[in-house]
Amino acid sequence: MSEPADRRYGPATVPTARGRLSAAVVEALRRPPRDLPADLGVDLDPADPITDEDLQLTLFLCYELHYRGWLGVDESWEWQPTLLALRARCERVFEAALRRLVGAPSVPAAGVAAGLAELVAADDGPSLAATLQRRADLNQFREFVAHRSVYHLREADPHSWALPRLGGPAKAALVEIQTDEYGNGRLDRMHAELFRGTLDRLGLDSGYGAHIDVAPAVTLATNNLMSLFGLHRRLRGALLGHLAAFEMTSSLPNRRYGNGLRRLGFDGVATRFYDEHVEADAVHEQIAAHDLCGGLVRAEPALASDVLFGAAAGLAVDRLFAAHLLDSWAAGRSSLRTPAPPALPPKVSLVASPEVAPPALV
């Protein structure tokens, strides 16, 4: 029997609080909309905002109201003024931390596409993809997939916030990329649906938002980064820069993820999400750098530095994410806040058959 639609597609269950601020928000969301205390969050000063559990969950709770919402939560909370004020306080702290982390990337004389290429070439983060391809065991791979499910089950949605904020060549380029992400209108080809197949094969809950409670702050931060950029028109350049960096660094890692699953004996249904990205993102890389970001900056030259900031921030937070997983595994502990649940029985044999053979890699 298939999962009910509300389990697969949301809304998700409200997660457990992780501190004073998130506890106040969780408690508020369980009731009809009302004003929060005026001083809530005014003294917010975490040592490291990017890895602060309370701050990142508070932001995630607020942002999800603009996506699928929360199960049983009154939808009027989306625009409740005092909740928006709290979100703004958290955002200021988070954005300031991102800007301290990456500084102000300079735009080279050759232009924004060259600047993006330089950022990607200089990215020397730990190779999580290589570890997953060559050495990770099944439990570690399942943890990685649980982390990434927070984004991949709504894949492409954060960047779609840019569509009504663009015109001309940049908008056309974004539509081209997003159309692929959404499977050209076919449910079975939507990237979120392909990822659900991976979750199913690995015996993990494939319900929307099922793994939020076990995702640590750094995982939530990789998602909150996109929402921050997407929900603020002033950060539209950063949003497109983030997408460009995402596409420019995706093809090889996805090849490695797919090969890692094949090493562990999984079939083409499990690897299809990753195999699809090997070819698609190689094409998207050029569109994102030259047509999308280049088109934006040709129309609005002042946004060039924002594009590079968004790309640098995305790469930097992903480095922190990768380091967290690899450091946890090296220390012999789970990278999740609590260990992943025991694997469920796979729905079919892991041995590939002609019907589910992995597509050829290019």
Coordinates of all heavy atoms in Angstrom, one line a residue, residues 70-129:
W70 N 3.2 23.4 8.3 CA 3.4 22.4 9.3 C 2.1 21.7 9.6 O 1.0 22.4 9.6 CB 4.0 23.0 10.6 CG 5.4 23.5 10.5 CD1 5.7 24.8 10.4 CD2 6.6 22.8 10.3 NE1 7.1 25.0 10.3 CE2 7.6 23.7 10.2 CE3 6.9 21.4 10.3 CZ2 9.0 23.3 10.1 CZ3 8.2 21.0 10.1 CH2 9.2 22.0 10.0
L71 N 2.1 20.4 9.8 CA 0.9 19.6 10.1 C 0.2 20.2 11.3 O 0.8 20.3 12.4 CB 1.3 18.2 10.3 CG 0.1 17.2 10.4 CD1 -0.7 17.2 9.1 CD2 0.6 15.8 10.7
G72 N -1.1 20.5 11.1 CA -1.9 21.0 12.2 C -1.7 22.4 12.6 O -2.3 22.9 13.6
V73 N -0.9 23.2 11.9 CA -0.6 24.6 12.2 C -1.4 25.5 11.3 O -1.5 25.3 10.1 CB 0.9 24.9 12.0 CG1 1.2 26.4 12.2 CG2 1.8 24.1 13.0
D74 N -2.0 26.5 12.0 CA -2.9 27.5 11.3 C -2.0 28.2 10.2 O -1.0 28.7 10.5 CB -3.4 28.5 12.3 CG -4.5 29.4 11.7 OD1 -4.3 29.9 10.6 OD2 -5.5 29.6 12.4
E75 N -2.5 28.2 9.0 CA -1.7 28.8 7.9 C -1.6 30.3 8.0 O -0.7 30.9 7.4 CB -2.4 28.4 6.6 CG -2.3 26.9 6.3 CD -2.8 26.6 4.9 OE1 -3.5 27.4 4.3 OE2 -2.6 25.4 4.5
S76 N -2.4 30.9 8.9 CA -2.2 32.4 9.1 C -0.9 32.8 9.8 O -0.5 33.9 9.8 CB -3.4 32.9 9.9 OG -4.6 32.7 9.2
W77 N -0.3 31.8 10.4 CA 1.0 32.1 11.0 C 2.1 32.5 10.0 O 3.0 33.2 10.4 CB 1.6 30.8 11.7 CG 1.1 30.6 13.1 CD1 0.3 29.7 13.6 CD2 1.5 31.4 14.3 NE1 0.1 29.8 15.0 CE2 0.9 30.9 15.4 CE3 2.3 32.5 14.4 CZ2 1.0 31.4 16.7 CZ3 2.5 33.1 15.7 CH2 1.9 32.6 16.8
E78 N 1.9 32.2 8.7 CA 2.9 32.6 7.7 C 3.2 34.0 7.7 O 4.3 34.4 7.5 CB 2.4 32.1 6.3 CG 3.4 32.5 5.2 CD 2.9 32.1 3.8 OE1 1.7 31.6 3.7 OE2 3.7 32.2 2.9
W79 N 2.2 34.9 7.9 CA 2.4 36.3 7.9 C 2.1 37.0 9.2 O 1.8 38.2 9.3 CB 1.5 36.9 6.8 CG 1.9 36.4 5.4 CD1 1.1 35.5 4.7 CD2 3.1 36.6 4.7 NE1 1.8 35.2 3.5 CE2 3.0 35.8 3.5 CE3 4.2 37.3 4.9 CZ2 4.0 35.8 2.5 CZ3 5.3 37.3 4.0 CH2 5.1 36.5 2.8
Q80 N 2.2 36.3 10.3 CA 2.0 36.9 11.6 C 3.1 37.9 11.9 O 4.3 37.5 11.9 CB 1.9 35.8 12.7 CG 1.1 36.1 13.9 CD 1.8 37.1 14.8 OE1 3.0 37.2 14.9 NE2 1.0 37.9 15.5
P81 N 2.9 39.1 12.2 CA 3.9 40.2 12.3 C 5.0 39.9 13.3 O 6.2 40.1 13.0 CB 3.1 41.4 12.6 CG 1.8 41.2 12.0 CD 1.5 39.7 12.2
T82 N 4.6 39.4 14.5 CA 5.7 39.3 15.5 C 6.5 38.0 15.2 O 7.7 38.0 15.6 CB 5.0 39.2 16.9 OG1 4.1 38.1 17.0 CG2 4.3 40.5 17.3
L83 N 6.0 37.0 14.6 CA 6.8 35.9 14.2 C 7.8 36.3 13.1 O 8.9 35.9 13.0 CB 5.9 34.7 13.7 CG 6.7 33.5 13.3 CD1 7.5 32.9 14.5 CD2 5.8 32.4 12.8
L84 N 7.3 37.1 12.1 CA 8.2 37.7 11.1 C 9.3 38.5 11.7 O 10.4 38.5 11.2 CB 7.4 38.5 10.1 CG 6.4 37.7 9.2 CD1 5.6 38.7 8.3 CD2 7.2 36.7 8.3
A85 N 9.0 39.3 12.8 CA 10.0 40.1 13.4 C 11.0 39.2 14.1 O 12.3 39.5 14.0 CB 9.3 41.0 14.5
L86 N 10.6 38.1 14.7 CA 11.6 37.2 15.3 C 12.5 36.6 14.2 O 13.7 36.5 14.3 CB 10.9 36.1 16.0 CG 11.8 34.9 16.5 CD1 12.8 35.4 17.5 CD2 10.9 33.8 17.2
R87 N 11.8 36.2 13.1 CA 12.6 35.6 11.9 C 13.6 36.6 11.5 O 14.8 36.3 11.2 CB 11.6 35.3 10.8 CG 12.3 34.4 9.7 CD 11.4 34.2 8.5 NE 11.7 35.3 7.5 CZ 11.0 35.5 6.4 NH1 9.9 34.7 6.2 NH2 11.3 36.4 5.6
A88 N 13.2 37.9 11.4 CA 14.2 38.9 10.9 C 15.4 39.1 11.8 O 16.5 39.2 11.4 CB 13.4 40.3 10.7
R89 N 15.1 38.9 13.1 CA 16.3 39.0 14.1 C 17.2 37.8 13.9 O 18.4 38.0 13.9 CB 15.7 39.0 15.5 CG 14.9 40.2 15.9 CD 14.5 40.2 17.4 NE 13.5 41.2 17.6 CZ 12.2 41.0 18.0 NH1 11.8 39.7 18.2 NH2 11.4 42.0 18.2
C90 N 16.6 36.7 13.7 CA 17.5 35.5 13.4 C 18.2 35.6 12.1 O 19.4 35.2 12.0 CB 16.6 34.2 13.4 SG 15.9 33.8 15.0
E91 N 17.5 36.1 11.1 CA 18.2 36.3 9.8 C 19.3 37.2 9.8 O 20.4 37.0 9.1 CB 17.1 36.8 8.8 CG 16.1 35.7 8.3 CD 15.1 36.3 7.4 OE1 14.7 37.5 7.5 OE2 14.6 35.5 6.5
R92 N 19.2 38.3 10.6 CA 20.3 39.3 10.6 C 21.6 38.6 11.2 O 22.7 38.8 10.7 CB 19.9 40.5 11.4 CG 19.0 41.4 10.7 CD 18.9 42.8 11.4 NE 18.1 42.7 12.7 CZ 16.8 42.8 12.8 NH1 16.1 43.0 11.7 NH2 16.2 42.7 14.0
V93 N 21.4 37.8 12.2 CA 22.5 37.1 12.9 C 23.1 36.1 11.9 O 24.3 35.9 11.7 CB 22.1 36.4 14.2 CG1 23.1 35.5 14.7 CG2 21.6 37.5 15.2
F94 N 22.2 35.3 11.2 CA 22.7 34.3 10.3 C 23.4 34.9 9.1 O 24.5 34.5 8.7 CB 21.5 33.5 9.8 CG 21.8 32.3 8.9 CD1 22.9 31.6 9.0 CD2 20.9 32.0 7.9 CE1 23.2 30.5 8.2 CE2 21.1 30.9 7.0 CZ 22.3 30.2 7.2
E95 N 22.8 35.9 8.5 CA 23.5 36.6 7.3 C 24.8 37.2 7.7 O 25.8 37.1 6.9 CB 22.5 37.6 6.7 CG 23.1 38.2 5.5 CD 22.2 39.3 4.8 OE1 21.0 39.3 5.2 OE2 22.7 40.0 3.9
A96 N 24.9 37.8 8.9 CA 26.2 38.4 9.3 C 27.2 37.3 9.4 O 28.4 37.5 9.1 CB 26.0 39.1 10.6
A97 N 26.8 36.2 10.0 CA 27.8 35.0 10.1 C 28.3 34.6 8.7 O 29.4 34.2 8.6 CB 27.1 33.9 10.9
L98 N 27.3 34.5 7.8 CA 27.7 34.1 6.4 C 28.7 35.1 5.8 O 29.7 34.7 5.2 CB 26.5 34.0 5.5 CG 25.5 32.8 5.9 CD1 24.2 33.0 5.1 CD2 26.1 31.5 5.7
R99 N 28.5 36.3 6.0 CA 29.4 37.3 5.4 C 30.7 37.3 6.1 O 31.7 37.6 5.5 CB 28.7 38.7 5.5 CG 27.5 38.8 4.6 CD 26.9 40.2 4.4 NE 25.7 40.2 3.6 CZ 25.7 40.3 2.3 NH1 26.8 40.3 1.6 NH2 24.6 40.3 1.6
R100 N 30.8 37.1 7.4 CA 32.1 36.9 8.1 C 32.8 35.7 7.6 O 34.0 35.7 7.4 CB 31.9 36.8 9.6 CG 31.5 38.1 10.3 CD 31.6 37.9 11.8 NE 30.8 36.9 12.4 CZ 29.6 37.0 12.8 NH1 29.0 38.2 12.7 NH2 28.9 36.0 13.3
L101 N 32.0 34.6 7.3 CA 32.6 33.4 6.8 C 33.3 33.5 5.5 O 34.4 33.0 5.3 CB 31.6 32.3 6.8 CG 32.0 30.9 6.3 CD1 32.9 30.3 7.3 CD2 30.7 30.0 6.2
V102 N 32.7 34.2 4.5 CA 33.2 34.3 3.2 C 33.8 35.6 2.8 O 34.4 35.7 1.7 CB 32.2 33.8 2.2 CG1 31.7 32.4 2.5 CG2 31.0 34.8 2.1
G103 N 33.6 36.7 3.6 CA 34.1 38.0 3.2 C 33.3 38.5 2.0 O 32.1 38.2 1.8
A104 N 33.9 39.4 1.2 CA 33.3 40.0 0.1 C 34.1 39.6 -1.2 O 35.1 40.2 -1.6 CB 33.3 41.5 0.2
P105 N 33.7 38.5 -1.8 CA 34.4 38.0 -3.0 C 34.4 39.1 -4.1 O 33.4 39.8 -4.4 CB 33.6 36.8 -3.5 CG 32.8 36.4 -2.3 CD 32.5 37.6 -1.5
S106 N 35.6 39.3 -4.7 CA 35.8 40.3 -5.7 C 35.4 39.8 -7.1 O 35.6 38.6 -7.4 CB 37.2 40.8 -5.7 OG 38.1 39.8 -6.0
V107 N 34.9 40.7 -7.9 CA 34.5 40.3 -9.3 C 35.7 40.5 -10.2 O 36.2 41.7 -10.3 CB 33.3 41.2 -9.7 CG1 32.8 40.7 -11.1 CG2 32.1 41.1 -8.7
P108 N 36.1 39.5 -10.8 CA 37.3 39.7 -11.7 C 36.9 40.5 -13.0 O 35.8 40.6 -13.4 CB 37.7 38.2 -12.1 CG 36.4 37.5 -12.0 CD 35.6 38.1 -10.8
A109 N 37.9 41.0 -13.6 CA 37.7 41.8 -14.8 C 37.0 41.0 -15.9 O 36.3 41.5 -16.7 CB 39.0 42.4 -15.3
A110 N 37.3 39.7 -15.9 CA 36.7 38.8 -16.9 C 35.2 38.6 -16.8 O 34.5 38.1 -17.6 CB 37.4 37.5 -17.0
G111 N 34.7 39.0 -15.6 CA 33.2 38.9 -15.4 C 32.8 37.9 -14.4 O 33.6 37.2 -13.8
V112 N 31.5 37.8 -14.2 CA 30.9 37.0 -13.1 C 31.1 35.5 -13.4 O 31.3 34.8 -12.4 CB 29.4 37.4 -12.8 CG1 28.5 37.0 -14.0 CG2 29.0 36.9 -11.5
A113 N 30.9 35.1 -14.6 CA 31.1 33.7 -14.9 C 32.5 33.2 -14.6 O 32.7 32.1 -14.0 CB 30.8 33.4 -16.4
A114 N 33.5 34.1 -14.9 CA 34.9 33.7 -14.5 C 35.1 33.7 -13.0 O 35.8 32.9 -12.5 CB 35.8 34.8 -15.2
G115 N 34.4 34.6 -12.3 CA 34.5 34.7 -10.9 C 33.9 33.4 -10.3 O 34.4 32.8 -9.3
L116 N 32.8 32.9 -10.8 CA 32.2 31.7 -10.3 C 33.1 30.5 -10.5 O 33.3 29.7 -9.7 CB 30.9 31.4 -11.0 CG 29.7 32.3 -10.6 CD1 28.5 32.2 -11.6 CD2 29.2 32.0 -9.2
A117 N 33.8 30.5 -11.7 CA 34.7 29.4 -12.0 C 35.9 29.4 -11.1 O 36.4 28.4 -10.6 CB 35.2 29.5 -13.5
E118 N 36.4 30.6 -10.7 CA 37.5 30.7 -9.8 C 37.1 30.2 -8.4 O 37.9 29.5 -7.7 CB 37.9 32.2 -9.7 CG 38.6 32.7 -10.9 CD 39.0 34.2 -10.8 OE1 38.9 34.7 -9.7 OE2 39.4 34.7 -11.9
L119 N 35.9 30.6 -7.9 CA 35.4 30.1 -6.6 C 35.3 28.6 -6.6 O 35.8 28.0 -5.6 CB 34.0 30.7 -6.3 CG 34.0 32.2 -5.9 CD1 32.5 32.6 -5.8 CD2 34.7 32.3 -4.5
V120 N 34.8 28.0 -7.6 CA 34.6 26.6 -7.7 C 36.0 25.9 -7.7 O 36.3 24.9 -7.0 CB 33.8 26.1 -8.9 CG1 33.9 24.6 -9.1 CG2 32.3 26.6 -8.7
A121 N 36.9 26.4 -8.5 CA 38.3 25.9 -8.6 C 39.0 25.9 -7.3 O 39.8 25.1 -7.0 CB 39.1 26.6 -9.7
A122 N 38.8 27.0 -6.5 CA 39.5 27.2 -5.3 C 38.8 26.4 -4.1 O 39.4 26.4 -3.0 CB 39.5 28.7 -4.9
D123 N 37.7 25.8 -4.3 CA 37.0 25.1 -3.3 C 37.8 23.8 -2.9 O 37.9 22.9 -3.7 CB 35.6 24.7 -3.7 CG 34.7 24.1 -2.6 OD1 34.9 24.5 -1.5 OD2 33.9 23.2 -2.9
D124 N 38.3 23.8 -1.7 CA 39.2 22.7 -1.3 C 38.6 22.0 -0.1 O 39.3 21.5 0.8 CB 40.6 23.2 -0.9 CG 40.6 24.3 0.2 OD1 39.4 24.7 0.6 OD2 41.6 24.7 0.6
G125 N 37.3 21.9 -0.1 CA 36.6 21.2 1.0 C 36.9 19.7 1.0 O 37.4 19.1 0.1
P126 N 36.6 19.0 2.2 CA 36.8 17.6 2.3 C 35.9 16.8 1.3 O 34.8 17.2 1.0 CB 36.4 17.3 3.7 CG 35.5 18.4 4.1 CD 36.0 19.6 3.4
S127 N 36.5 15.8 0.7 CA 35.7 15.0 -0.3 C 34.8 14.0 0.3 O 35.1 12.8 0.4 CB 36.7 14.4 -1.3 OG 36.0 13.8 -2.4
L128 N 33.6 14.5 0.7 CA 32.6 13.6 1.2 C 32.2 12.6 0.1 O 31.9 11.4 0.3 CB 31.4 14.4 1.6 CG 30.2 13.7 2.1 CD1 30.5 12.8 3.3 CD2 29.0 14.7 2.4
A129 N 32.1 13.1 -1.2 CA 31.7 12.2 -2.3 C 32.6 11.1 -2.5 O 32.2 9.9 -2.7 CB 31.5 13.1 -3.6

